[in-house]
Amino acid sequence: MSETRKGMLLVISGPSGAGKGTLIERLMAEDKSLVFSVSATTRAPRPGEIHGVHYYFLSNEAFDRKVAEGAFVEHATVHGNRYGTLRSEVYERLGRGENVVLDIDVQGALNVIASEKEKVSIFILPPSMKVLRQRLTGRGTESQEAVERRLHNAIWEISQRDKYDYQVINNDLEECLRTLRAILEAQRHASAYYGVDVPEE
Ligand code: 5GP
């Protein structure tokens, strides 16, 4: 038997501080079938971030032009900045059989869940609100006010978790990775993505 596979659209989201960034980095380092969809954003680059690698950093006007051109699969305002998934990052690659990873916020994910027929959506949960607060404070990158805003947003975001295909608690990084690998492996065999040519002999 020979196998054929269609590309998978993997939507990974969850509240800020749940740890999805680290999980995605680890998964991508070990699984070369995964490709990252580089989003557009109006936020300023952080030290070390590279245009075209981490994000496409656009002005508000350039972002507006992309919206008008219909260049986005989805776009949303997150913590005061605009972010969008570019069609050019997604569909051609899926067509080539690559598995495209979207690291997007919950509003954007719900839009993709509603608009894309074939996708695998995973919600990453923190073990508790207390741990989420500790993680957000511990980063040291946000003001107290920003931490409170993110925690407030997290309550609504977490209330949306049942709309995803899978929910994974990020209590222990390695255990969470094992679960994510298992989900990916099972999904590779979902009939939506999988095909086999059955030889006569
Ligand atoms: P950061 O600015 O810290 O890189 O990302 C802030 C949030 O924006 C994260 O939750 C991230 O997942 C989300 N985000 C990044 N790219 C996109 C995108 O293209 N669309 C949406 N809706 N959210 C995004």
Side-chain angles (χ1 to χ4, degrees):
M1 311 249 178
S2 63
E3 301 175 326
T4 55
R5 288 200 166 96
K6 277 208 280 180
M8 229 189 301
L9 182 59
L10 262 173
V11 184
I12 304 185
S13 78
S16 185
K20 62 183 165 13
T22 310
L23 288 165
I24 291 173
E25 239 172 66
R26 286 281 304 270
L27 276 179
M28 296 206 52
E30 65 184 47
D31 183 343
K32 296 302 170 198
S33 79
L34 302 176
V35 290
F36 189 69
S37 161
V38 180
S39 294
T41 183
T42 59
R43 92 151 156 70
R46 296 186 186 127
E49 283 185 335
I50 300 163
H51 181 82
V53 174
H54 300 94
Y55 282 105
Y56 296 102
F57 296 99
L58 303 182
S59 65
N60 241 315
E61 296 68 36
F63 198 98
D64 279 337
R65 277 198 298 277
K66 293 269 181 214
V67 174
E69 286 164 10
F72 290 121
V73 178
E74 61 73 39
H75 59 94
T77 300
V78 187
H79 313 309
N81 293 303
R82 299 164 82 193
Y83 295 84
T85 304
L86 292 158
R87 302 177 72 84
S88 54
E89 290 283 309
V90 175
Y91 297 113
E92 265 174 44
R93 290 154 140 195
L94 287 176
R96 286 201 296 266
E98 295 171 1
N99 298 320
V100 179
V101 178
L102 305 187
D103 168 355
I104 62 178
D105 90 308
V106 175
Q107 307 164 69
L110 294 182
N111 284 331
V112 174
I113 289 169
S115 66
E116 299 296 315
K117 197 166 141 263
E118 283 171 10
K119 73 278 161 188
V120 180
S121 55
I122 306 175
F123 193 95
I124 308 292
L125 282 150
S128 69
M129 294 308 286
K130 187 173 163 206
V131 170
L132 189 66
R133 175 184 285 279
Q134 283 165 353
R135 286 184 188 165
L136 286 173
T137 314
R139 276 179 180 178
T141 52
E142 319 297 337
S143 64
Q144 190 54 35
E145 192 196 331
V147 169
E148 293 305 327
R149 198 168 51 235
R150 281 171 191 232
L151 280 169
H152 176 81
N153 290 343
I155 294 168
W156 174 79
E157 291 168 337
I158 291 172
S159 77
Q160 302 301 305
R161 63 191 184 278
D162 291 354
K163 297 180 180 158
Y164 289 66
D165 298 319
Y166 296 96
Q167 300 175 33
V168 183
I169 303 172
N170 185 10
N171 193 3
D172 173 81
L173 183 72
E174 297 304 326
E175 193 186 322
C176 191
L177 278 168
R178 273 197 295 280
T179 308
L180 291 174
R181 284 183 202 116
I183 292 172
L184 292 187
E185 194 49 32
Q187 283 295 333
R188 286 194 169 99
H189 290 265
S191 299
Y193 303 107
Y194 188 71
V196 268
D197 297 321
V198 183
E200 288 292 325
E201 290 172 25

